[in-house]
Amino acid sequence: MTDSMRERAERVELQRKINSDVSKEGASAYSQDSAFTARSAEHGQRADSPLAATEPLARHAIRPSRTARASNPRPDGTVRVPESYPAHILHPQPHVVRDQLRRNAKKPLRVMKFGGTSVGDASCIQKVVDIVRAAVSHSDVVVVVSAMSGVTNKLVEAAKQSAAGNRQLVATIFKQLRQRHEAAADTLIHSPEMRHSIVLKMAQVIEEGERLCQHAIQHQELTPRMCDAVSGIGERLSAPLVAAALAERDVASQAIEATELVVTDSCHGAAEPFMELTRERCEARLRPLVLQGVVAVVTGFIGATVEGVPTTLGRNSSDYSGTIMGAALDADEVTLWTDVDGILTADPRLVPEASSILEMSYREASDLAELGAKVLHPKTLHALMQRGIPLAIRNTFAPDLPGTKITPAGSSSGAEPKALTATNNAALITVRSSKVLGAADILRRTLATVATVPAEVRLIPQSSFPQSEVCVVVSSAAAEPAVEALRREFVQDMAHDSVSSITVNPSVAIVTVVGGEILGERGLAARTLDALRREKLLVLGSAPGSHSSFCFVVAPCDLNAAVVTAHRELQISAVDSRVLPRTIT
Ligand code: ADP
Ligand code: ASP
Ligand code: MG
């Protein structure tokens, strides 16, 4: 028998085992995983290697038993766990295991997160497989995946339409999702047994989504908890698909649902991880796989409370899932693989000539992320900052390009502006005093009042009348309650004419210039504002964003022109002219 025939035979045997596992498990458990532990050509290790002895610890210590899950499903797809987990189950004493396993670790550990377009169809997933396959020859790899592009939107729509009783539309959405995923599986997986197994697994997940929606249709209600359970279905479909595609190309892999790993609070739609618990679970569940050379393919976007209720970390948050995994495992690097060549000097949809930034600091990147750059979820850097783990942003469709590297200190060209970002959906509130020198007191009371709404003050732009006028920018959604609260706070002052008006512009945009010493002697802020005025773009206010950024406020209709003008004026593409072509003259 030739080597490749033997490998094939081994995989078929393994698949037979997986199939029988899947059929034993039944359809209802949320936190099932599908295992594809085909022999790894690169590692030459098998699931029955000595290291596999660590597997049961991971499997059984951190989730309810299968019997408990099967006999005890909730209508929203979550699993009732026993009232109290034994302490050793919630805290599986991982330290001894961790230390012992660490001693065996030799290769650098890379966490690779692939976004929605990177797993958008079979041909994209093939590129993901190529990248992971190349990486496992020199690194240990943990993969985090998003849902296929557009799938989460569809699921959210299905959830909402269920509450509205739109049964037919919901059925159509699930039918299309099923077809799209099955089409990808058909192209990616050639072994009939493996394909059958993966299609079955995906069908179970889709049926679970349908059941959740049925429940919402019957009760004409969509709770945040239900919405999270439905919207996380996309990642639960893509993870087994990617794991199977890796196995098909002889990369040992296992799909794992992050409900097993990422322990969050119960803030549905924007859950926050408890990092210590998450770290313990990742050590117990993922580290043994890493040491066996098995690539864990983890669902991004989702987590679960300590009680096992599924949550999501917020839209677009798989980036955050990637860095949570990186921090939890103390990875050597996290890479976000996406559809652009790293972080560009501006949103390429607004500024087509924007170019890649080779290196940025944590601070610059998190300013960009928090102030609207879609390429990074706002919380992406939170998990990494404490540990100093570098973050790379690279293009799945051009893997030879370097993309962007984000390090604690960034590049030496720290004094230059690096990039521009813009965000809509903000509101500008102005409180005017009739007294000159009344602004300091008004500002103090305005900030205290807005904080009670609670609304986050995104910016305090300098007014044209700084001695008698206070401006704050909040999100559009918070504008109305903030203004109502301010009117109550200043009711006496308005009666006595010491406050003359409280006005709101409900829709403004914030443009942010991010980069080193933006407010230093070089006068970049002043130059930008002059350039905008020359273009007759009205600036409604401006202010330092943080020590490395400055922001200005414009009408949404001026946003595109403002970004293009500022980009040109600051010649931002020239930042890394040592290595990158200067595209704007
Ligand atoms: P993924 O699905 O891989 O997470 P996203 O769509 O969330 O990808 O983010 C990548 C997109 O972000 C790019 O396609 C681009 O259109 C947009 N984007 C906005 N601002 C920037 C920027 N400064 N640099 C790069 N991409 C940006
Ligand atoms: N699939 C999720 C979303 O679309 C998370 C992500 O892709 O980052 O919001
Ligand atoms: Mg994204």
Side-chain angles (χ1 to χ4, degrees):
M1 208 191 261
T2 66
D3 276 359
S4 69
M5 282 166 71
R6 191 173 311 114
E7 279 181 18
R8 193 89 201 155
E10 281 174 3
R11 282 215 307 280
V12 168
E13 178 51 35
L14 189 65
Q15 189 56 49
R16 201 166 284 132
K17 188 172 164 298
I18 291 162
N19 288 349
S20 80
D21 279 358
V22 167
S23 49
K24 270 186 234 145
E25 296 230 335
S28 69
Y30 188 121
S31 55
Q32 283 174 359
D33 52 278
S34 41
F36 291 89
T37 43
R39 184 166 177 267
S40 158
E42 285 78 8
H43 294 275
Q45 281 174 342
R46 304 183 45 178
D48 58 0
S49 74
L51 282 169
T54 55
E55 178 87 356
L57 166 72
R59 286 213 166 174
H60 300 299
I62 56 175
R63 54 190 185 143
S65 72
R66 282 174 182 161
T67 340
R69 291 200 311 267
S71 62
N72 212 4
R74 288 181 166 137
D76 63 358
T78 66
V79 174
R80 287 189 203 103
V81 282
E83 286 302 288
S84 56
Y85 266 105
H88 72 278
I89 287 187
L90 273 183
H91 303 280
Q93 302 275 329
H95 314 291
V96 180
V97 180
R98 186 190 313 172
D99 291 347
Q100 194 195 333
L101 296 180
R102 280 247 172 83
R103 277 197 293 277
N104 298 333
K106 290 185 203 75
K107 296 178 178 175
L109 173 60
R110 296 183 198 285
V111 173
M112 300 181 149
K113 174 258 168 178
F114 293 90
T117 31
S118 301
V119 295
D121 62 23
S123 72
C124 299
I125 293 176
Q126 287 293 15
K127 294 191 189 333
V128 170
V129 172
D130 291 341
I131 289 166
V132 175
R133 218 165 174 268
V136 291
S137 61
H138 50 77
S139 305
D140 290 325
V141 175
V142 170
V143 167
V144 175
V145 286
S146 290
M148 285 179 156
S149 48
V151 164
T152 312
N153 286 348
K154 285 283 171 203
L155 288 163
V156 171
E157 192 190 339
K160 289 187 174 151
Q161 292 298 336
S162 302
N166 213 335
R167 202 178 282 272
Q168 192 51 49
L169 187 58
V170 175
T172 309
I173 289 174
F174 279 106
K175 187 173 165 209
Q176 287 168 350
L177 287 183
R178 191 188 304 263
Q179 284 167 349
R180 182 167 170 195
H181 287 85
E182 283 184 10
D186 282 349
T187 312
L188 288 165
I189 322 292
H190 298 119
S191 137
E193 282 190 68
M194 206 193 233
R195 193 166 58 233
H196 173 74
S197 161
I198 187 70
V199 167
L200 191 69
K201 169 70 193 165
M202 293 193 304
Q204 287 169 353
V205 173
I206 285 177
E207 276 161 27
E208 197 181 309
E210 286 174 322
R211 269 202 308 281
L212 290 165
C213 286
Q214 283 303 327
H215 190 266
I217 290 170
Q218 271 159 21
H219 292 82
Q220 294 180 355
E221 187 196 24
L222 179 67
T223 60
R225 173 174 163 157
M226 194 81 98
C227 191
D228 269 0
V230 176
S231 56
I233 296 277
E235 275 71 10
R236 298 177 57 209
L237 293 168
S238 59
L241 193 55
V242 171
L246 284 166
E248 176 76 19
R249 302 266 309 277
D250 294 330
V251 179
S253 63
Q254 184 170 351
I256 297 181
E257 299 196 345
T259 39
E260 287 190 59
L261 305 173
V262 179
V263 187
T264 72
D265 61 22
S266 55
C267 181
H268 287 283
E272 272 297 329
F274 296 122
M275 278 311 288
E276 244 344 283
L277 271 176
T278 301
R279 195 165 291 127
E280 285 178 6
R281 292 196 181 188
C282 289
E283 279 297 336
R285 181 75 172 103
L286 298 185
R287 184 75 67 189
L289 293 176
V290 167
L291 291 170
Q292 287 171 69
V294 174
V295 174
V297 181
V298 180
T299 54
F301 185 47
I302 62 177
T305 65
V306 159
E307 294 81 18
V309 178
T311 53
T312 63
L313 309 178
R315 291 305 310 271
N316 216 14
S317 62
S318 291
D319 297 339
Y320 192 27
S321 306
T323 53
I324 290 169
M325 284 300 125
L329 289 167
D330 247 332
D332 294 279
E333 186 178 90
V334 177
T335 304
L336 307 179
W337 289 90
T338 183
D339 56 1
V340 278
D341 300 333
I343 298 187
L344 307 182
T345 51
D347 186 335
R349 294 165 299 181
L350 298 183
V351 184
E353 58 273 43
S355 59
S356 302
I357 301 167
L358 271 191
E359 196 167 345
M360 297 190 92
S361 66
Y362 275 173
R363 160 69 70 170
E364 291 163 344
S366 68
D367 277 352
L368 263 188
E370 275 162 24
L371 291 156
K374 190 186 176 229
V375 66
L376 283 183
H377 182 270
K379 293 179 186 164
T380 308
L381 271 305
H382 291 192
L384 295 185
M385 278 182 162
Q386 269 192 343
R387 306 201 152 227
I389 299 170
L391 176 69
I393 321 294
R394 297 185 60 187
N395 192 343
T396 304
F397 307 98
D400 295 334
L401 294 178
T404 301
K405 185 136 192 173
I406 300 168
T407 55
S411 71
S412 53
S413 57
E416 304 288 344
K418 284 255 161 75
L420 280 169
T421 182
T423 170
N424 260 317
N425 302 326
L428 177 69
I429 299 174
T430 307
V431 182
R432 279 190 198 90
S433 165
S434 11
K435 289 189 289 187
V436 173
L437 296 181
D441 180 49
I442 291 179
L443 178 60
R444 185 184 52 74
R445 285 169 63 196
T446 300
L447 295 181
T449 306
V450 170
T452 61
V453 170
E456 190 199 346
V457 173
R458 293 167 69 174
L459 197 67
I460 308 176
Q462 196 172 13
S463 135
S464 323
F465 306 99
Q467 293 182 320
S468 60
E469 198 176 81
V470 163
C471 302
V472 290
V473 177
V474 297
S475 69
S476 293
E480 207 181 299
V483 168
E484 277 168 16
L486 287 169
R487 293 210 165 114
R488 283 195 299 276
E489 167 66 22
F490 289 110
V491 64
Q492 296 292 343
D493 308 73
M494 291 182 91
H496 297 124
D497 279 345
S498 52
V499 165
S500 54
S501 67
I502 299 174
T503 55
V504 59
N505 181 341
S507 178
V508 297
I510 308 172
V511 180
T512 306
V513 184
V514 173
E517 291 148 24
I518 227 102
L519 294 170
E521 290 161 19
R522 302 165 58 89
L524 294 172
R527 258 178 53 206
T528 312
L529 295 177
D530 282 348
L532 295 167
R533 277 185 206 114
R534 277 200 306 277
E535 294 294 323
K536 311 233 172 334
L537 296 164
L538 182 63
V539 176
L540 304 169
S542 65
S546 71
H547 85 273
S548 70
S549 68
F550 113 90
C551 308
F552 53 91
V553 182
V554 292
C557 60
D558 288 340
L559 185 145
N560 290 13
V563 171
V564 169
T565 303
H567 195 267
R568 187 176 50 226
E569 177 63 26
L570 297 176
Q571 299 192 349
I572 285 179
S573 304
V575 169
D576 272 318
S577 53
R578 289 163 295 134
V579 284
L580 290 172
R582 189 170 145 175
T583 53
I584 295 184
T585 52

